[in-house]
Amino acid sequence: MFRRLGLVLPPLLTLLVVTVPATAASRPVVVAHRGASADAPENTLSALALASRFGADMVEVDVRETRDHALVLMHDTTLTRTTDAESVFPRRAPWRVADFTLAEIRRLDAGSWFGRAGRGQRVPTLREALRAMSGSGLGLLLEIKEPRLYPGIEARVAGELRRAPSWPAAGRLVVQSFDWGSMRRFARLMPSPAIGLLGTPSAADLPALAGFAGQVNPPYQDVTPEYVRLVHRHGMRVFAWAVDDPGDIQRMISGGVDGVITNRPAVARSVLQDDASRRAA
C-alpha cells in the first residue's frame, strides 16, 4: 500500500477494474498516463498514489534498464529532463539511463523539476512500484521503452512480474511497447498478461497481430469509430492515448474505445460520469 511507503494520503478510493470482451465494454477504463502526471512528477510513487485518489482504474508506467540491469520507471532515454543528473554527475553526459547503476540513480531527485512540492521524489524501481500499488485496486499498463537498447529486458520484466504473482493472476496487467517484435517475444515468455501494441496497425496487419496481442493502443488523433470497430472484430481492445481535453475524451467515448490514457484522470472520470448521466436521463 502507498501508506507503507510513507505517502500520507486520504483513504484510497475503492476502484473496480473490469475485464470485458473487446466488443462489450460498458465504459472506457481510465488509465493515468505515467501516473497522474499533470499534477505530480511523472513515473514517481506520488504520481501513482495521486492516480488512485483521482479515480483512475489503471496507471501507465514506462520501464527502462540501468547499467546493472535494474528495472526503473523512466520515460526518456536520458535522465536529464526529469532528474538532476546533470548537476549530480556533471561529467557523465549524455546521462543515458543505461549508463548509470541503480545506486547512482537512487541519488537523483526526480521531482524538483516539476515544482517545489515534488522535491525529494526518487526514481522508483518496478518492484517498488508494484509493491506500492499492491492493494490499491489499480491495474497496471506497463510500457517497455525501446527494448532494442536493453537486450533481454523482456525476460527480466517477466521475471519481476512473476515475483509479484498477484498481478498476472488478477487479470489487471497489460504489457505494451511500440516494438511489436518485442511484444511477440514477451508473449512467448509470459502469456498471462494481455499484450498491447502501441501505434496504429493497418487493417492488413491486424489478423496476424491478434494472434498474440489483446490490445491496439493508438494516439487518439488516429482513432475513428470505424477503426475501433475493425480492431474489435479481431478480438482486441483499443486504448487511446494521451487524451486530456474533455471534448476529445468525449469523442473517444462516443467512438467506442475501451480505455482512455490520460495525464488528467480526474478530468476523464468527470467526463465519464457526465456521459453516464446523460445516457441514463
Side-chain angles (χ1 to χ4, degrees):
M1 295 289 287
F2 295 114
R3 190 177 297 280
R4 291 203 298 267
L5 290 161
L7 296 170
V8 180
L9 301 168
L12 295 177
L13 297 176
T14 300
L15 303 175
L16 178 64
V17 179
V18 182
T19 301
V20 295
T23 55
S26 58
R27 64 166 179 82
V29 172
V30 174
V31 185
H33 186 233
R34 309 177 198 170
S37 55
D39 297 282
E42 65 184 59
N43 281 317
T44 62
L45 297 185
S46 64
L48 304 187
L50 199 58
S52 179
R53 286 178 53 192
F54 284 171
D57 298 303
M58 304 178 72
V59 293
E60 184 265 356
V61 299
D62 305 295
V63 173
R64 292 185 180 272
E65 198 169 271
T66 67
R67 191 175 75 193
D68 49 350
H69 303 298
L71 299 168
V72 294
L73 271 54
M74 181 64 56
H75 177 271
D76 297 0
T77 308
T78 69
L79 296 159
T80 54
R81 180 175 64 86
T82 59
T83 78
D84 56 352
E86 290 181 78
S87 59
V88 176
F89 299 104
R91 295 184 176 88
R92 298 283 292 276
W95 299 282
R96 288 183 293 257
V97 176
D99 294 337
F100 288 80
T101 66
L102 177 59
E104 290 171 330
I105 288 176
R106 287 195 187 281
R107 294 174 54 187
L108 303 177
D109 184 321
S112 291
W113 67 275
F114 191 83
R116 184 175 300 177
R119 186 176 299 165
Q121 290 291 311
R122 302 299 172 187
V123 176
T125 64
L126 175 58
R127 185 176 301 182
E128 289 165 347
L130 291 171
R131 187 181 303 127
M133 292 169 62
S134 177
S136 70
L138 289 168
L140 179 66
L141 177 58
L142 187 161
E143 180 180 349
I144 300 179
K145 299 297 293 185
E146 299 183 282
R148 62 182 175 78
L149 299 179
Y150 316 103
I153 191 173
E154 298 90 354
R156 286 183 279 278
V157 169
E160 196 63 70
L161 293 173
R162 288 192 183 99
R163 282 187 280 272
S166 63
W167 283 97
R172 297 181 294 121
L173 173 67
V174 180
V175 178
Q176 67 172 0
S177 180
F178 283 102
D179 187 328
W180 303 346
S182 171
M183 290 298 91
R184 191 184 295 272
R185 290 192 295 275
F186 192 91
R188 289 195 292 263
L189 286 166
M190 194 175 190
S192 55
I195 296 296
L197 305 177
L198 283 161
T200 313
S202 69
D205 288 335
L206 290 175
L209 297 174
F212 68 94
Q215 289 185 12
V216 169
N217 299 340
Y220 79 92
Q221 296 92 337
D222 291 351
V223 174
T224 64
E226 294 75 21
Y227 188 74
V228 172
R229 287 194 291 269
L230 179 63
V231 174
H232 282 174
R233 283 200 293 271
H234 289 86
M236 295 182 287
R237 300 197 294 170
V238 177
F239 281 22
W241 56 270
V243 52
D244 295 337
D245 178 78
D248 291 328
I249 293 170
Q250 181 60 56
R251 183 169 66 84
M252 295 299 102
I253 296 170
S254 300
V257 301
D258 305 281
V260 290
I261 303 172
T262 176
N263 300 301
R264 299 183 180 276
V267 172
R269 176 62 61 204
S270 177
V271 173
L272 279 166
Q273 289 169 346
D274 289 346
D275 182 75
S277 297
R278 284 193 299 270
R279 291 174 186 268

